[in-house]
Amino acid sequence: MLVYPSGVDVSSTALRFLAARLKEHRRTLGSRWRRLNAGRQALLTLAHLRNGQPYARLAAGFGIGTTTAYRYITEAVNLLAALAPTLTEAVRAASTKAYVILDGTLLPIDRIAADRPFYSGKHKKHGMNVQVIADPKGRLLWASPALAGAVHDVRAARGHGIIEALAEAGITCRADKGYQGAGDTVSLPYRGRWDSLSTGKQAVNRSHAKIRALVEQAIATLKSWRLLRKLRCSTTRITSLVQAVLCLHLASSN
């Protein structure tokens, strides 16, 4: 296999953050020697998450075995996922905001037609449903554990306890029509055909759409990590990957 220099468009803050956590982890474990130091292991993990490079290519570039690359990346991902904020912590941070925006996104996976629980009728593809909370400026605050793509947004939000947590904190939430029945805390656009709505309701829906559109920035932030654009791993690992990306984003943006 040919090897060539490449780059990763990630903030050096994220690299330093992950390297520091890996050093602490190694001291806790009492590790004496590794094929890669903590900094190189952090870079290996960032390259995998950001560029979506497979283990074999990364292993060749870093001069290690494929199994070692998999083990190092899995170790770092699990460490980051454990550091990601919980919903309670995210709601506490959101309590200082005027409101938050809630939306769901589908992370595509490589499944066949027989895997019906993972097929999203809305997106017409197989994937995993992830709920995203953004602030009024469209900045990513929190991303939920991944559920099968067939799960509807409002059901996913209830299952994660998002609706209840926001209601208890008294936080107003903007969402789309997919969250019908979520409760009074969730502000939704008026239902019905556009030409059947009154002028006032059309104005409300227009204003609501402009506000809610900002959540797309948060979703784009999540999917700027190319591994999440097409996942080819076990579905049991996707939650850890999402939480790891969330942790790195928040660490580099603070």
Side-chain angles (χ1 to χ4, degrees):
M1 185 179 293
L2 298 176
V3 179
Y4 63 93
S6 186
V8 185
D9 57 339
V10 178
S11 169
S12 59
T13 303
L15 178 64
R16 291 194 297 269
F17 172 81
L18 179 52
R21 302 293 83 75
L22 286 170
K23 287 179 181 177
E24 294 173 3
H25 182 64
R26 291 184 181 191
R27 281 197 296 268
T28 302
L29 295 177
S31 298
R32 295 185 178 181
W33 182 84
R34 296 280 191 102
R35 290 293 303 275
L36 297 179
N37 60 33
R40 294 286 287 173
Q41 183 181 356
L43 183 59
L44 172 73
T45 304
L46 292 177
H48 177 65
L49 294 174
R50 190 68 169 188
N51 294 339
Q53 292 286 348
Y55 299 116
R57 293 182 185 178
L58 290 171
F62 282 80
I64 57 177
T66 303
T67 302
T68 302
Y70 173 82
R71 189 172 68 251
Y72 280 5
I73 291 171
T74 302
E75 178 185 45
V77 166
N78 290 340
L79 182 62
L80 288 169
L83 296 172
T86 63
L87 176 60
T88 301
E89 293 169 338
V91 169
R92 189 181 303 120
S95 62
T96 60
K97 312 295 183 182
Y99 58 86
V100 296
I101 313 171
L102 173 65
D103 200 4
T105 186
L106 190 80
L107 303 182
I109 59 175
D110 59 342
R111 287 298 183 274
I112 60 176
D115 295 316
R116 296 302 298 177
F118 299 101
Y119 184 78
S120 169
K122 175 182 177 181
H123 297 90
K124 308 300 181 185
K125 64 176 69 173
H126 292 81
M128 301 294 285
N129 181 304
V130 173
Q131 297 294 299
V132 173
I133 297 177
D135 70 6
K137 293 184 178 180
R139 293 174 297 202
L140 178 64
L141 294 177
W142 187 74
S144 75
L147 296 176
V151 178
H152 294 289
D153 283 339
V154 66
R155 181 182 166 194
R158 285 199 182 109
H160 294 308
I162 299 172
I163 306 300
E164 182 181 355
L166 293 175
E168 288 181 355
I171 301 174
T172 302
C173 174
R174 303 289 197 276
D176 62 22
K177 295 177 182 178
Y179 294 87
Q180 289 289 340
D184 296 336
T185 309
V186 182
S187 176
L188 305 173
Y190 288 105
R191 299 182 67 180
R193 294 174 57 87
W194 181 260
D195 53 7
S196 67
L197 297 176
S198 65
T199 304
K201 289 183 177 180
Q202 288 181 357
V204 170
N205 280 10
R206 194 177 293 111
S207 175
H208 188 280
K210 289 180 180 179
I211 293 172
R212 202 196 62 78
L214 293 172
V215 76
E216 297 300 332
Q217 296 181 21
I219 293 174
T221 296
L222 197 64
K223 292 186 177 181
S224 66
W225 298 79
R226 296 175 186 86
L227 185 69
L228 300 182
R229 296 180 188 175
K230 183 67 174 181
L231 291 153
R232 295 178 173 84
C233 61
S234 169
T235 55
T236 59
R237 295 189 58 234
I238 294 176
T239 291
S240 295
L241 293 171
V242 171
Q243 297 301 304
V245 166
L246 173 64
C247 180
L248 285 170
H249 167 71
L250 294 177
S252 59
S253 60
N254 290 338

